[in-house]
Amino acid sequence: MGKRYYCDYCDRSFQDNMHNRKKHLNGVQHHRAKKAWFDQFRDSAAVLHDEQIKKPCRKFLQKGICDFGPNCRFSHMSEEDLFNLKRHMEEERQHREDFEDRIISGQSIEDWLSKREKKQAALGSKGDLKTKEDNEEDEAESDIPQQLFSIPDLPPSLLPPPAGGWRVSASSEWG
């Protein structure tokens, strides 16, 4: 049977040899699928700019379908779609500006991380002996920068710890 090559862009596999792979990678369908894949990650400003340059597709406007699909050289966006895209772009710009304002006005993440690292190094050299004053000082310095909370859809492993710290139950301890 032999090895098979799977193309993620085209969602298909074929016998893997130099001839088949070269033929596939140079094929029109592969180039279209690859372009479609990367187009989904383009920012709103680039999409809006490209769509405003294009003329509207008459066939798509009349029948609601175009034989060329995403490969059509004309725009398949209605005026409402363009308006929504502009609005989305403005929201992104506003969010970015708000985020930059918070960084400038507040403590930077790099500063917070360096202070945290110094604090942990000091605790490591001090051992487990901590006074009440140290605990109060740690709580005051452990203010997590708001920038970390504004990043959407962070995986749980990257979320900052809750205010009271992580709770560990006796049954889940190792040992």
Side-chain angles (χ1 to χ4, degrees):
M1 175 136 174
K3 292 183 184 178
R4 300 205 46 92
Y5 177 81
Y6 177 76
C7 178
D8 289 318
Y9 299 117
C10 303
D11 192 29
R12 63 177 287 223
S13 66
F14 49 87
Q15 186 177 4
D16 189 18
N17 60 42
M18 188 173 70
H19 173 74
N20 288 350
R21 189 183 290 205
K22 188 174 181 179
K23 186 176 178 182
H24 174 76
L25 294 177
N26 291 328
V28 174
Q29 288 180 336
H30 176 76
H31 285 280
R32 285 181 181 165
K34 187 175 173 183
K35 183 183 181 307
W37 171 261
F38 283 104
D39 281 349
Q40 71 182 348
F41 300 109
R42 292 174 61 204
D43 64 332
S44 301
V47 172
L48 180 65
H49 176 61
D50 287 349
E51 291 297 323
Q52 286 177 331
I53 292 174
K54 294 178 183 179
K55 293 180 181 178
C57 179
R58 284 189 295 152
K59 191 168 190 177
F60 187 80
L61 291 176
Q62 290 172 352
K63 297 183 179 180
I65 192 164
C66 177
D67 296 336
F68 297 104
N71 300 317
C72 185
R73 67 180 183 164
F74 298 106
S75 175
H76 290 174
M77 287 194 156
S78 66
E79 292 296 324
E80 183 181 340
D81 293 336
L82 288 173
F83 176 76
N84 289 337
L85 190 58
K86 283 181 189 176
R87 193 179 74 227
H88 180 69
M89 189 178 75
E90 282 298 315
E91 288 172 358
E92 283 180 352
R93 186 184 58 76
Q94 186 67 34
H95 179 71
R96 192 170 42 249
E97 286 176 0
D98 291 346
F99 182 72
E100 289 170 0
D101 288 345
R102 273 187 260 141
I103 289 174
I104 292 169
S105 66
Q107 177 185 20
S108 73
I109 294 175
E110 288 80 16
D111 292 341
W112 179 76
L113 285 173
S114 65
K115 284 181 184 178
R116 182 174 176 258
E117 191 174 308
K118 288 176 187 175
K119 183 176 66 174
Q120 287 179 342
L123 286 176
S125 65
K126 237 195 276 189
D128 289 336
L129 302 173
K130 292 178 73 178
T131 64
K132 184 178 180 183
E133 294 170 355
D134 290 338
N135 285 336
E136 290 173 0
E137 185 179 309
D138 287 345
E139 287 176 10
E141 288 183 9
S142 69
D143 293 333
I144 298 169
Q146 290 301 312
Q147 296 96 312
L148 292 178
F149 295 110
S150 65
I151 301 171
D153 302 327
L154 274 177
S157 61
L158 296 179
L159 288 173
W166 301 110
R167 300 199 185 277
V168 179
S169 64
S171 62
S172 67
E173 289 184 20
W174 298 335

